[in-house]
Amino acid sequence: MADKAPKKDMSFLDHLEELRGRLVRAVLGMLAGVILIVVFHDLVVNDIIMGPRKADFITYRMFCDWSHKMGMGEDLCLTPPSFSLQSTTMSGAMNADIMVCIIGGIILAFPFIFWQLWGFVKPGLNEREVQSVNGIVFYVSLLFFAGVAFGYFILAPLSIQFLGNYTFADVENNSTILSYLKLTTSLVFGTGLIFQLPVLIYFLTKIGLVSSAFLKKYRKHAFVVNLIISAIITPPDVVSQLVVAMPILLLYEASIYVAGRVEKNQALKNA
């Protein structure tokens, strides 16, 4: 069955107008997220943003429970560093508040923002291509929030614990609020984007830039790089390193599977 032709051809200016409308709606979605952050400001700042600094944060309690259950005593009972956060400029506190609202708004509105992006790209695809990525908004959003959760509950507290306890000579470790927020938000938001690896590999395989054979060939290299990064940001114990490394390795293996499926479908289509 032939692919359906577009209902009408759009000029370059029509495409620009469509893109402008999509971007406006995406920004409005982000602003709705920002408003939600403002409404629950105290909860977001005191319980979520500052959560990894507290000794009773769920990650520290979870690691301690694992330590006792595995007969390791207090070896994995991590203690968040005791350091004060300060603002060294007049606008520091306000800039921190703005950063929290904007990043938080983007995270909350991510499914809607991606839906708008997909709505702009989708008309340029034929029916078969659209069907091959059916449910993409759901899966992209699911992977994004899984990455955000991993970054917040695992990477952020382990990084804060490691960097906060790192000493250099007699330098007192007092961080600025902006430094703390840049660390946590980059880990949380960045990990959400890293978890899009299978989706990225899907499209790269579709256009022929990546293959499953290529990913398998460099699997060992990816494994070593992942372990090195995990060893840097985690405490010096194998369990913590594996907790950080395993999800990324699973994503890499999932990407190999996705690339293989794409190649198989393309081979069947060309047969």
Side-chain angles (χ1 to χ4, degrees), residues 41-262:
H41 182 269
D42 291 342
L43 172 67
V44 171
V45 173
N46 298 325
D47 295 336
I48 298 178
I49 300 299
M50 297 300 174
R53 295 185 62 216
K54 300 177 181 178
D56 62 347
F57 188 63
I58 185 173
T59 302
Y60 303 126
R61 290 188 282 111
M62 180 180 66
F63 269 75
C64 199
D65 290 341
W66 286 353
S67 184
H68 291 145
K69 290 178 181 178
M70 291 186 296
M72 300 177 63
E74 302 288 323
D75 290 348
L76 297 183
C77 290
L78 307 177
T79 303
S82 177
F83 62 92
S84 61
L85 294 176
Q86 55 188 341
S87 175
T88 57
T89 62
M90 289 294 292
S91 60
M94 184 182 70
N95 290 337
D97 230 350
I98 292 174
M99 180 185 296
V100 169
C101 291
I102 292 178
I103 298 297
I106 293 175
I107 291 175
L108 290 179
F110 180 84
F112 181 77
I113 294 173
F114 182 78
W115 182 46
Q116 293 301 320
L117 175 63
W118 174 242
F120 178 74
V121 174
K122 185 177 178 180
L125 305 177
N126 59 46
E127 185 179 3
R128 182 179 297 166
E129 290 171 333
V130 172
Q131 290 178 349
S132 67
V133 290
N134 190 32
I136 187 173
V137 175
F138 170 77
Y139 291 113
V140 166
S141 300
L142 181 65
L143 286 171
F144 177 76
F145 286 120
V148 167
F150 181 72
Y152 177 72
F153 290 107
I154 302 298
L155 293 186
L158 292 180
S159 298
I160 290 171
Q161 200 272 344
F162 171 75
L163 295 175
N165 287 320
Y166 193 89
T167 58
F168 178 77
D170 58 350
V171 177
E172 186 177 356
N173 197 358
N174 290 326
S175 302
T176 64
I177 181 60
L178 288 177
S179 174
Y180 174 83
L181 288 178
K182 287 178 181 178
L183 173 66
T184 54
T185 55
S186 62
L187 288 172
V188 171
F189 192 73
T191 310
L193 296 180
I194 289 174
F195 268 52
Q196 303 301 317
L197 181 62
V199 178
L200 177 62
I201 293 299
Y202 174 87
F203 286 105
L204 291 179
T205 306
K206 289 278 287 186
I207 62 178
L209 292 180
V210 170
S211 66
S212 58
F214 174 84
L215 295 175
K216 290 177 182 178
K217 179 180 178 181
Y218 290 98
R219 176 191 274 138
K220 294 181 180 178
H221 300 78
F223 179 79
V224 172
V225 171
N226 189 21
L227 286 181
I228 292 174
I229 295 174
S230 301
I232 292 174
I233 66 175
T234 59
D237 64 84
V238 177
V239 176
S240 299
Q241 293 170 15
L242 290 179
V243 168
V244 172
M246 282 304 296
I248 307 299
L249 293 177
L250 291 176
L251 282 174
Y252 193 86
E253 293 300 320
S255 299
I256 294 177
Y257 172 78
V258 168
R261 285 294 300 271
V262 172

